Amino acid sequence: MLNDNICASLYKVFPILEDKLTVAPVTDHEISQLSVQLERELPVIYEAIFFKIDRCLRHQTVPRFWRHFNQSPVSGKSADTNRHFFRFQQAVRELYDEFGQYWLQLKRLEKLRRGVVLPVDVAKRPSDLSEFFRMFRCGLLAQLPVDFNELVYEFYGIAFKVFALTHADSEESGMEVGETAFQCGACGSESVNCQCQSLASAFTSTNRQLAAMGLLDKIAGFTLTTLIQERIDAKIGETKENFSVSHLEALERWLNTVVLQWLTRIYNRGSLTIAPGNVKIEEAIGNFQTKLSFYLYENYANAIIEQFFGIIIDFPMSQAAIDDLKLCLEKIDLKSYLIKTVKGTLESKLLHPGVDTPDILTGYVAAIKTLRHLDPTGVLLQTITEPVKEYLRSRPDTVRCVVTGLTEEGCSDLSEELAKSEHIKAKENINEKLELTDWENWNPDPVNADAVLSKEARLGRPSDIISMVVDIYGSKELFVNEYRNLLAERLLSQLDSNPEKEIRNLELLKLRFGETMLHSCEVMLKDISDSKRINSHILSAESGFPSERPFDISALIVSSQFWPTFKKETMDLPPAIKEVFDQYTKSFEAYKGSRTLHWTPLNGKVTIELELDGKTTEMQVTPAQATIAIHFSEQREWELEKLGQQMNMPPSVLRKRLVFWQSQGLIRETRENLFILNDRQSESNAAELHNAPAPDVCEDEEAESAMESASDQREEELQVFWSYIEAMLTNLDSLPLDRIHQMLKMFASQVDFSQEELKNILQRKVREHKLVYAGGVYQLPKA
């Protein structure tokens, strides 16, 4: 048992033994004297002190601290928010004061046991202070309220706002005008009562105290990360829909100044200067910088990727955003997310029936430009745009739209790209020469290139936009044939115009596709000038062509082997007109010797005069419409079938052509398939006919092409292989598609056709019941 004097001295040195925290001053001599007196009882007293500390922590200190936060902070005015801020500071300060009392007693215990070896099962490992820190943190965090993180978030949120607005650029700081008085943008108080200084001072002291107690990371670590990430997201959100300016440098500067300086103040006891050798703080700030930089790059890149369709449409105005994304992708791997997101965006925005083919092509060309700038290797471009190419292949008017875009100014960017052909050709030639001399600057494809591109695609990767657009079908011949069709239609519809524009387009296309492929188009343009010369000769007095004729005639004489195939439609001309055509043919034969003419009576333009109720109206119509008008002028009433026999035209086709005159009010259908001439023209009908549309404005059915489409011509060419296919299947019973394609390539190596084209032919034969498709193989139907 200890005597009263020793007990009094013990309680004075360690008031915790009486469940008290207030420490009275003692001298080192008193502690040394007490150590001698308690040498035998020291292990028991040592354990009693730690027991009392643990008990006092759990039943007094910790509950007293959490009582400050019994009520959650209420959102409202700034003054209320700042009140909660100071309440948090007050709670930490009181906790720190009690922590100091524990700490002082532990330091006295350290002196008391100096020189005394405690039993292994009694001594605290690795030290008394480490054991106390563990007890202190466990006791405090074991009673953590559910909403405490919200309180901490509010505290650090206010502090960050104060720091950001008082240490940021001048345009972000300063005062904001409130409803009745000037308000501080940081603390929200009126300017005369600004609390920024007191908030900053309280914040610094609170963090210093939390760090001293070893609670800074435990209490604020998660909240700091969440808060800063939210501020980064908000900062990135300010850049949205502003593609013309680079934001990455400004975001990095903001992160490295405002955010990291704020964190440095938190971990470095309020100072921005880290003392040399303070490795722990340098590592903490370095870890924060690395983690937050990656977060910034990832989320900024994601924000750009989410707006990628708008960036594509605005390119090259949005080039700054692409440059930023390129830098982000160098630091963090988001290519898989980029590919998935942009693919999905293009499919939802472009690849559906509601979007016209020219608009899809415009988006495709814009995507090529954008992705080529983002990734010059072409791997991303080939991967992302593959669904667009597949969809465009399925549209029947894609080739026509591409050719129109190439040859018509203002239709799309393709015409501008075609105008660059000469420059690109020269550049390609230079690149070919530099292939061997510039080998030091060569870079391999990305590691995922093999998974994305086939060997052939990598070797022959399209180098420019037009090559990629043509690569949609993988066949230059198809585009050249479609251009030939389009050129034929233009020449037929603009007989009186000078073909200088078409000659310019042809010269540009020759740079792109070569002269051999476009030789037929040169002949077509030559036929225009030759036709004018032949017409002038035949219509002159020396040719023998009758000078007195019922109407003027001008013929476009084409070289049939070089022009596209005309549609196989028939029509018999009225005798009077056919007689003039025959006279023209005889004059041509006399002029050209062994050559003759084969007329296509459905093609061309006819200028006619209609006289109704004394009013004469001049109209320009098609030959079929003119022939119908002539027949109704000779006979007022026609049955559809008889008129079709008279004109040698199928009734279904003839009905479509009758619609034009019905819309003009010239004829009407009194009963099914019976049409009569309107002899009692009302004033409105007469006016309607008098104000008829311009000559080329006819019904859609009349405005259709006189030529077979390139795909129709191509299918006719490939039909010659049907006999080979029949023979194969007769001998081998059944074959899959790829095997049929391989065998045909051996028999007809001079004709290039794809497996997809062959599949279309075989599927048509299946629909015609000439083939059976089952189990992935084709076979002839059983007899």
Side-chain angles (χ1 to χ4, degrees):
M1 294 292 293
L2 301 176
N3 60 43
D4 294 341
N5 291 332
I6 295 176
C7 288
S9 299
L10 184 62
Y11 292 151
K12 180 181 178 183
V13 176
F14 299 105
I16 191 68
L17 292 172
E18 293 184 307
D19 296 327
K20 298 178 182 178
L21 282 178
T22 306
V23 180
V26 294
T27 62
D28 290 343
H29 176 71
E30 291 179 290
I31 297 175
S32 300
Q33 187 177 6
L34 187 62
S35 176
V36 174
Q37 295 172 343
L38 298 176
E39 183 175 358
R40 283 183 160 184
E41 290 81 7
L42 188 58
V44 177
I45 295 172
Y46 178 86
E47 286 191 291
I49 290 173
F50 271 96
F51 174 79
K52 287 289 187 177
I53 288 175
D54 183 55
R55 181 176 175 180
C56 195
L57 278 173
R58 295 180 183 276
H59 294 88
Q60 295 185 38
T61 302
V62 171
R64 192 156 40 234
F65 176 74
W66 292 126
R67 273 198 296 271
H68 287 279
F69 311 106
N70 283 339
Q71 295 181 351
S72 300
V74 181
S75 59
K77 297 182 179 179
S78 300
D80 292 333
T81 304
N82 294 343
R83 179 170 58 82
H84 297 308
F85 177 95
F86 288 115
R87 188 178 69 173
F88 182 86
Q89 182 234 354
Q90 176 67 25
V92 173
R93 185 171 68 241
E94 291 180 6
L95 180 66
Y96 179 73
D97 291 341
E98 294 191 13
F99 174 86
Q101 302 296 323
Y102 289 115
W103 181 269
L104 183 56
Q105 295 182 68
L106 285 171
K107 297 297 286 184
R108 291 177 179 179
L109 180 62
E110 191 177 85
K111 293 178 182 179
L112 182 68
R113 55 167 288 197
R114 189 173 297 162
V116 178
V117 179
L118 295 174
V120 176
D121 58 336
V122 174
K124 305 300 180 184
R125 297 287 185 259
S127 68
D128 297 345
L129 294 178
S130 299
E131 176 65 14
F132 168 69
F133 272 113
R134 185 193 66 79
M135 293 166 57
F136 184 76
R137 287 194 297 267
C138 291
L140 190 70
L141 300 178
Q143 300 182 28
L144 192 71
V146 176
D147 57 351
F148 182 66
N149 283 334
E150 298 177 10
L151 300 170
V152 179
Y153 179 91
E154 181 181 357
F155 177 81
Y156 283 95
I158 294 171
F160 182 82
K161 185 177 181 182
V162 170
F163 182 84
L165 291 177
T166 54
H167 292 79
D169 297 334
S170 58
E171 63 268 15
E172 295 184 11
S173 60
M175 311 301 290
E176 295 180 354
V177 179
E179 294 181 0
T180 58
F182 285 95
Q183 282 187 325
C184 175
C187 66
S189 303
E190 294 183 5
S191 57
V192 293
N193 299 318
C194 180
Q195 294 182 303
C196 288
Q197 189 62 40
S198 59
L199 287 170
S201 176
F203 179 70
T204 300
S205 64
T206 301
N207 284 300
R208 187 183 296 116
Q209 292 163 1
L210 288 172
M213 293 185 289
L215 296 175
L216 185 58
D217 279 330
K218 297 293 182 181
I219 287 181
F222 174 79
T223 301
L224 282 175
T225 303
T226 303
L227 174 67
I228 293 173
Q229 287 177 350
E230 289 182 4
R231 296 302 181 268
I232 291 174
D233 292 340
K235 200 73 176 176
I236 291 172
E238 296 173 5
T239 69
K240 286 191 175 180
E241 299 183 3
N242 186 3
F243 312 132
S244 59
V245 180
S246 174
H247 301 286
L248 187 59
E249 184 178 350
L251 289 170
E252 289 175 330
R253 185 171 60 251
W254 172 80
L255 181 68
N256 292 326
T257 54
V258 175
V259 175
L260 289 178
Q261 284 183 11
W262 185 62
L263 288 172
T264 303
R265 283 179 179 267
I266 292 174
Y267 285 91
N268 198 36
R269 300 178 179 273
S271 174
L272 288 175
T273 305
I274 301 175
N278 199 336
V279 180
K280 188 175 181 180
I281 294 180
E282 289 180 352
E283 287 182 354
I285 301 301
N287 290 336
F288 262 113
Q289 184 174 20
T290 302
K291 181 168 60 175
L292 295 175
S293 294
F294 274 104
Y295 186 85
L296 173 68
Y297 295 135
E298 180 179 10
N299 284 269
Y300 182 51
N302 287 339
I304 295 176
I305 292 170
E306 289 170 2
Q307 306 170 83
F308 210 81
F309 187 77
I311 292 173
I312 287 174
I313 300 303
D314 287 350
F315 194 84
M317 295 293 292
S318 59
Q319 182 174 324
I322 295 298
D323 291 335
D324 283 354
L325 179 59
K326 189 187 299 185
L327 292 173
C328 291
L329 292 178
E330 291 174 0
K331 299 176 184 294
I332 189 164
D333 185 14
L334 286 174
K335 289 187 177 178
S336 298
Y337 177 73
L338 170 67
I339 292 171
K340 180 181 178 181
T341 303
V342 179
K343 263 187 176 181
T345 301
L346 291 177
E347 289 178 8
S348 63
K349 297 284 187 181
L350 295 179
L351 309 187
H352 55 83
V355 184
D356 294 333
T357 303
D359 294 333
I360 299 177
L361 281 171
T362 300
Y364 178 57
V365 170
I368 292 173
K369 292 180 179 179
T370 307
L371 293 169
R372 192 172 57 179
H373 182 78
L374 177 63
D375 176 31
T377 66
V379 175
L380 287 178
L381 175 59
Q382 294 285 343
T383 309
I384 291 173
T385 58
E386 188 60 33
V388 183
K389 291 168 60 176
E390 290 289 341
Y391 186 78
L392 285 171
R393 286 191 195 108
S394 67
R395 286 216 170 184
D397 59 339
T398 297
V399 183
R400 171 61 58 102
C401 291
V402 171
V403 174
T404 304
L406 286 171
T407 56
E408 290 187 4
E409 296 180 1
C411 183
S412 67
D413 292 339
L414 292 177
S415 58
E416 297 178 11
E417 293 296 324
L418 182 61
K420 300 175 186 175
S421 293
E422 189 170 1
H423 169 71
I424 291 173
K425 198 75 176 176
K427 187 175 179 181
E428 286 177 355
N429 293 335
I430 292 174
N431 289 338
E432 289 174 6
K433 296 177 183 177
L434 291 177
E435 276 186 0
L436 296 177
T437 60
D438 197 32
W439 58 271
E440 292 180 346
N441 294 327
W442 176 84
N443 284 317
D445 284 338
V447 293
N448 60 336
D450 288 333
V452 174
L453 302 173
S454 64
K455 181 179 179 182
E456 293 77 7
R458 293 198 304 277
L459 293 176
R461 192 175 302 162
S463 58
D464 64 308
I465 290 174
I466 293 181
S467 298
M468 288 206 64
V469 172
V470 172
D471 190 53
I472 291 174
Y473 282 87
S475 170
K476 290 183 179 180
E477 289 79 4
L478 189 61
F479 283 87
V480 171
N481 288 340
E482 191 63 46
Y483 169 68
R484 193 162 62 116
N485 280 5
L486 189 63
L487 178 62
E489 291 178 12
R490 288 177 178 168
L491 296 178
L492 288 175
S493 62
Q494 303 171 8
L495 295 173
D496 301 328
S497 63
N498 294 322
E500 286 82 5
K501 177 183 174 183
E502 301 298 342
I503 293 173
R504 174 182 173 275
N505 287 335
L506 180 59
E507 292 300 322
L508 291 173
L509 288 170
K510 282 163 64 176
L511 291 173
R512 176 68 56 177
F513 298 102
E515 295 192 13
T516 305
M517 297 183 71
L518 292 164
H519 176 65
S520 297
C521 298
E522 285 188 292
V523 175
M524 291 164 61
L525 289 172
K526 185 175 181 296
D527 284 344
I528 299 297
S529 56
D530 289 348
S531 296
K532 292 179 180 179
R533 179 174 49 81
I534 294 171
N535 270 312
S536 299
H537 173 78
I538 291 178
L539 297 178
S540 64
E542 298 83 22
S543 67
F545 190 70
S547 57
E548 294 183 2
R549 49 188 178 272
F551 55 87
D552 294 329
I553 183 174
S554 175
L556 172 60
I557 302 166
V558 303
S559 305
S560 58
Q561 67 270 34
F562 294 101
W563 281 65
T565 305
F566 288 88
K567 285 189 175 179
K568 298 175 178 61
E569 294 184 3
T570 59
M571 184 184 73
D572 289 344
L573 295 171
I577 297 176
K578 189 174 184 304
E579 183 181 351
V580 176
F581 277 35
D582 291 341
Q583 292 172 351
Y584 191 99
T585 302
K586 290 178 182 178
S587 298
F588 177 82
E589 291 172 348
Y591 177 57
K592 286 294 185 179
S594 60
R595 297 174 63 186
T596 187
L597 295 177
H598 296 282
W599 296 91
T600 56
L602 283 170
N603 300 320
K605 294 186 292 186
V606 180
T607 302
I608 61 174
E609 289 185 355
L610 295 177
E611 184 178 346
L612 294 170
D613 294 340
K615 294 182 180 180
T616 301
T617 303
E618 185 175 289
M619 301 180 68
Q620 193 174 68
V621 296
T622 65
Q625 292 166 351
T627 303
I628 291 171
I630 292 173
H631 284 301
F632 273 94
S633 67
E634 296 172 350
Q635 179 178 322
R636 294 180 56 257
E637 183 177 309
W638 284 95
E639 290 184 358
L640 181 64
E641 186 174 352
K642 290 184 177 179
L643 182 59
Q645 293 173 356
Q646 183 74 18
M647 294 178 61
N648 190 21
M649 184 178 291
S652 59
V653 177
L654 178 58
R655 174 176 281 280
K656 294 178 181 178
R657 305 194 187 276
L658 287 168
V659 170
F660 173 75
W661 291 120
Q662 286 181 277
S663 66
Q664 299 297 327
L666 181 69
I667 60 176
R668 57 191 172 88
E669 187 175 9
T670 57
R671 56 182 175 84
E672 187 177 1
N673 295 332
L674 180 64
F675 297 86
I676 65 170
L677 181 68
N678 275 337
D679 53 352
R680 292 178 295 176
Q681 290 288 332
S682 64
E683 292 184 5
S684 59
N685 286 338
E688 182 181 0
L689 187 61
H690 183 71
N691 298 322
D696 347 309
V697 182
C698 301
E699 294 298 314
D700 290 342
E701 296 293 340
E702 296 294 342
E704 63 185 8
S705 171
M707 306 293 170
E708 287 186 350
S709 67
S711 57
D712 292 338
Q713 296 177 45
R714 178 67 171 169
E715 192 163 332
E716 286 185 12
E717 292 175 7
L718 297 178
Q719 286 296 331
V720 299
F721 298 118
W722 174 238
S723 58
Y724 289 102
I725 296 171
E726 281 188 306
M728 280 185 232
L729 295 177
T730 301
N731 295 328
L732 300 175
D733 188 44
S734 63
L735 289 171
L737 175 65
D738 55 349
R739 181 64 176 154
I740 297 175
H741 185 250
Q742 291 172 4
M743 295 180 70
L744 284 178
K745 293 286 283 186
M746 293 192 324
F747 290 126
S749 57
Q750 72 280 7
V751 180
D752 184 25
F753 59 94
S754 66
Q755 190 167 303
E756 188 66 26
E757 289 177 312
L758 176 61
K759 181 180 178 181
N760 292 335
I761 294 174
L762 296 178
Q763 289 300 114
R764 170 172 284 193
K765 295 300 180 183
V766 170
R767 290 193 296 270
E768 294 174 355
H769 304 290
K770 294 181 180 179
L771 276 182
V772 175
Y773 180 73
V777 296
Y778 293 92
Q779 57 185 356
L780 295 172
K782 303 298 181 182

